[in-house]
Structure formats: C-alpha cells, structure tokens
Amino acid sequence: MPIVIRTGWLTGIRAVERDLRKGRDALRNPDQLTIVTSKGYQGSLASSVELADAGMMKFLNTNMTGLNICYALQILETF
C-alpha cells in the first residue's frame, strides 16, 4: 500500500489543510496519509496527524529543525 507523508510546521499544515483533505479523500484508504508536525494540531485532518515534540530529539538524534523529518523517517521504517 503506497503511503504519503507530509511534514511541516503547524502554520504550513494549516495553509494547505484543504488540499491535504482533498488528497486524503481521494486515496483508497485515508490511512495512507500521515502528517507529521511538531505542534498541537486540531482540525479536520486530526486522524491523520502524528505529533512530534522536543522530548523526541535525543531519541531521534536530531534538533528542532530536523525533528519532523526524522520522525517521518521513523514512521516510514515501520512499513
């Protein structure tokens, strides 16, 4: 099953939320979309959001700049 992962800061996710929702609705299975962001997202895509936080930086061996990407890579490795 193909998977789509979108990472970004909360403001960026909100800016493209409508497009992401349309894209998710077009997928065979909405679980194919995972959105990684580092802030508390609350919106229509909440079921597709994985939240990263500063406490994960040491485990992921990264800083805040790379946190979302490193977390997204970890999610991909589970598939």
Side-chain angles (χ1 to χ4, degrees), residues 7-8 36 60 65-75:
T7 66
V36 177
L60 295 171
T65 302
L67 181 60
N68 292 337
I69 296 295
C70 289
Y71 188 37
L73 288 172
Q74 182 186 22
I75 292 169

Side-chain angles (χ1 to χ4, degrees), residues 3 5 9 19 24 26 28 32-33 57 60-65 68 73-74 76:
I3 184 168
I5 293 188
W9 298 105
D19 292 332
R24 182 183 68 179
R28 284 186 187 195
Q32 290 175 273
L33 175 66
M57 288 190 302
L60 295 171
N61 194 29
T62 190
N63 57 27
M64 282 302 289
T65 302
N68 292 337
L73 288 172
Q74 182 186 22
L76 279 173

Side-chain angles (χ1 to χ4, degrees), residues 4 6 16-35 41 43-49:
V4 178
R6 166 69 164 97
V16 296
E17 182 175 23
R18 186 178 337 170
D19 292 332
L20 288 170
R21 191 173 50 250
K22 286 180 183 178
R24 182 183 68 179
D25 293 345
L27 295 170
R28 284 186 187 195
N29 181 346
D31 292 339
Q32 290 175 273
L33 175 66
T34 300
I35 301 164
Y41 172 84
S44 62
L45 296 168
S47 63
S48 297
V49 172

